[in-house]
Structure formats: C-alpha cells, structure tokens
Amino acid sequence: MAQRPSTERWPVSLQEDVARIEPAAVNATLRFFARLGLLTGAEIDEVQAMLAADFPFADAIRSAESVHVHVKVHDTAALPHAEIQAAGTHPQSTTEGFVKYPFDTGVNLIFSSIPISEDDMLTGEPELPPAVMDHKGVDLRQETPEVRAVFDGVPGLAAERGWRHKGQGGGGTPVYCCHTEVDEKHWVYPNEGDAGQRRPIEFAFGELKIHDSKMGCDLRPIDPAHPRAAEASAALSACAAGHQVDDDGAVSPSYYERKDLGHFADVGQFAEPMMKKFWDYYLGVFGGDSALTKREKALIGLAVAHSKQCPYCIDSFTGTCVDLGVSADQMHEAVHCAAALAAGIDLVHGVQMQNVLKLKGAI
C-alpha cells in the first residue's frame, strides 16, 4: 500500500474506460483499518457502494483522483501511527487533532479529534464511539471543463433523488481545512439507505493546496434535515459575529476566530505593493533553511507569538512546529523562554525607577 506522491495527477477523461479507483484495492485498505478498530463493516460497505457502477454520482467517481474517508476519533495522538505507516504511507496535513494518510489504492484516510462539522457546535449530544465515520469525500482535483461540469451537476443529481445539498466556497472564495484549501465544495446528504448511503458525501473541486501553516477550518455544514440544524446555525452565526461557544454551550464574546487565520491573505487586496513586499520578506525569513533551520525559526516564531500575544500566530506556529517534528516539551520550553524574558524586561526597568528615586533622595 505505497503512498502516491502528492504531486502526481491522474489523467482525467470521462471517455476513458480506465478505473483510477479500484474497488477491490480500496476494500483491502479499508479492511486494514477495520482490523485496527477504526472502521466498521457497515462503514466499509457504505464506501464500497459509492464505487458501484450504478452509484448516482458514478461520473464524479470516474473523474476523481481519489476518495477519502473522514473518521472522528477521541484522540488522534492515540492512533496506532507506527502500524499505519508500516502499511506504506506517511502522515500528511498534520496538525493537533488532525491527520491524513494517503494510499495509492485511491483512498485516503483522514482522522480528526477537533471540531470539523457544524454538528460539533451542538451540546448535549450523545458521546460518539471511539471511532466513527463522519463523511466520505470525492476529490475532483483536475480543473478541466469536463470535470467542472461533473462537479456542477452534483446539486441537480442530489435534488433528483430527494437528497439535501449544501455548498461551500466558489466565486473566488476557497474552502479551508487546517493546512489545505480547495476552490469549492458540494455536500450532499442521502436519504437513509438510498444507494447504500447513510453519512454525508463531500465533493471537492480544484487543486489541493497545502500550506506550511494552519489556514483555519470551514466546518462541514450540518444536514438541513437534522432536527437541531437551526440551533447549530445559530451557534455558528454567534461565532461569525465575533463570539465563541464555550464547552458548556454558553456564548462568550471574542475578537479572535480561528477561521479568520485562513483569511489572512485577504488583507493583501488593499495596499497590494506593500503587502507583496511583506510576503516576500516573511517567506524569505520562514520559507526554508538558512543560517537557522526551518525548525529553529518555527520555535522562535512560536515564542515571539506568545510574547506578542497573537492567537493567530500561536495557532499557525504550533501547527508548523508539530509538522517539523518539534516535541511538546520543546514548544513549552520556548514559551517559558519568552515568558522569562518578558519578566526580565519588566524587572530591569526597575533601574529607571531607582534612578528617579536617587534623584529624589528617596534611596
């Protein structure tokens, strides 16, 4: 199960009678994760039903570079990572509570223990099992007219079957997920059991762009038929209005929203020449190894982010440090360095106070 390089692109033609996603190979990969206790037989059957010739969105499957299965777990750090990597893959787009494992069988496994859907905005819901499939995804990476037409046809096909639909992105607004972005997404919500489906299906269009830093996360829309959909939308609106939902469900004010980090580049729409100079300088500093390694610079960045008290930078540099193999102990020690220096800066200014006291004859 060797991992396919992320730069490789499969040729796409709706006329090709060549399977890019082989159901038997996908099944073997999924069975491997079932043996690890991370998928159930019913969930595997649901994915396999998507690969059947009579699947309502078969054209999308034929046009896809890959499909993915997103599984929610209690703690991604507790996954059997060594055993998974021994199967011929390596983690991709990793951040705290999120990891993706791509396989050359045409299926990618994604695991998360962070909020990834509007459903997660709801309080009082039953606790999820240790591992449960949240949704399946169809990755339409080729930006050709043919594939675009297939993607654009998704809402109509969903409507024909009475399935619900939600869209994300489009019109120049990308969709973000941790370290990645794509141009646009369609989400469809099947009727229970129709075409062998139960969980939502994501159709993602456009090149997968992977960033060094975390870009925020646009939550999966809740099924419009969910009995608490309106409640989830209200909670989301509260967040969008500059509030956040506490663990107990209370809404508290906050100027900072994690998803805003993904819109940092939007600042460049104004005073573009100066913003370009900033990006050239910023990427020149953090973009690669020089006198300092990327790892060393990421630790410095994390420490400065804490000293400047920027939640966006703390989020971004924490994710970058994890990706570069920095341990939690090393990150915490960097923060202590910043804190100790800040304390020393406050204390050394006591010299100025003593100078005045001497002038006044007070000491």
Side-chain angles (χ1 to χ4, degrees):
M1 288 188 261
Q3 185 257 346
R4 182 172 62 251
S6 60
T7 55
E8 183 178 338
R9 292 289 183 267
W10 292 349
V12 172
S13 170
L14 298 184
Q15 286 70 46
E16 282 186 14
D17 189 21
V18 178
R20 287 174 292 279
I21 302 172
E22 173 54 47
V26 169
N27 183 64
T29 300
L30 298 180
R31 294 291 173 189
F32 165 74
F33 283 95
R35 291 193 293 274
L36 297 178
L38 297 172
L39 285 174
T40 67
E43 290 169 340
I44 292 174
D45 291 342
E46 193 171 337
V47 178
Q48 286 295 117
M50 292 174 55
L51 309 183
D54 60 351
F55 182 59
F57 302 91
D59 277 351
I61 299 295
R62 285 192 291 269
S63 304
E65 178 183 284
S66 56
V67 295
H68 66 263
V69 179
H70 194 129
V71 179
K72 295 202 70 173
V73 296
H74 289 174
D75 183 8
T76 55
L79 290 170
H81 293 286
E83 192 169 352
I84 294 173
Q85 293 179 53
T89 184
H90 69 265
Q92 189 181 83
S93 305
T94 305
T95 190
E96 183 179 359
F98 185 97
V99 62
K100 173 182 175 181
Y101 281 108
F103 288 85
D104 68 355
T105 56
V107 65
N108 303 323
L109 272 293
I110 299 172
F111 298 94
S112 66
S113 53
I114 57 174
I116 52 93
S117 71
E118 292 179 10
D119 304 56
D120 296 323
M121 306 289 288
L122 299 173
T123 60
E125 290 287 287
E127 184 177 357
L128 294 175
V132 61
M133 182 171 68
D134 181 82
H135 65 269
K136 301 90 59 186
V138 182
D139 307 318
L140 300 167
R141 302 290 184 227
Q142 295 291 338
E143 299 177 13
T144 65
E146 295 86 358
V147 176
R148 179 77 217 194
V150 168
F151 175 77
D152 289 340
V154 166
L157 289 173
E160 288 176 9
R161 301 191 73 92
W163 293 9
R164 284 79 62 202
H165 164 264
K166 283 281 190 176
Q168 280 184 315
T173 301
V175 185
Y176 295 105
C177 182
C178 293
H179 288 261
T180 65
E181 69 171 272
V182 295
D183 291 344
E184 191 173 354
K185 290 183 180 181
H186 289 310
W187 293 90
V188 299
Y189 308 85
N191 298 320
E192 183 78 26
D194 189 8
Q197 299 304 301
R198 186 177 65 88
R199 300 299 301 153
I201 306 172
E202 168 193 346
F203 296 85
F205 177 79
E207 177 189 358
L208 180 68
K209 299 174 183 177
I210 300 177
H211 301 274
D212 287 338
S213 299
K214 193 171 182 180
M215 301 300 290
C217 184
D218 291 310
L219 300 179
R220 169 179 67 74
I222 195 170
D223 184 345
H226 193 291
R228 300 181 68 187
E231 186 179 340
S233 297
L236 189 65
S237 296
C239 287
H243 296 73
Q244 61 186 12
V245 179
D246 294 336
D247 292 339
D248 61 1
V251 177
S252 61
S254 171
Y255 281 109
Y256 295 107
E257 277 295 319
R258 168 181 270 179
K259 62 184 178 61
D260 289 342
L261 179 58
H263 299 290
F264 185 15
D266 295 348
V267 179
Q269 295 174 4
F270 306 93
E272 291 185 18
M274 286 183 282
M275 198 65 183
K276 182 180 184 303
K277 290 178 181 179
F278 163 76
W279 283 119
D280 289 343
Y281 175 63
Y282 182 88
L283 295 174
V285 172
F286 288 106
D289 293 342
S290 50
L292 296 171
T293 66
K294 286 181 66 174
R295 186 178 184 278
E296 291 167 336
K297 287 186 277 192
L299 270 172
I300 293 171
L302 182 65
V304 173
H306 280 80
S307 69
K308 293 290 187 180
Q309 299 181 343
C310 175
Y312 301 119
C313 299
I314 292 170
D315 190 327
S316 177
F317 276 102
T318 300
T320 300
C321 283
V322 170
D323 290 346
L324 293 174
V326 180
S327 71
D329 284 343
Q330 290 169 326
M331 282 186 265
H332 281 84
E333 192 164 319
V335 174
H336 278 290
C337 287
L341 187 60
I345 289 170
D346 289 340
L347 289 170
V348 76
H349 278 78
V351 174
Q352 301 300 111
M353 175 182 67
Q354 290 181 348
N355 289 341
V356 175
L357 289 170
K358 290 174 182 176
L359 286 173
K360 297 287 186 180
I363 58 173

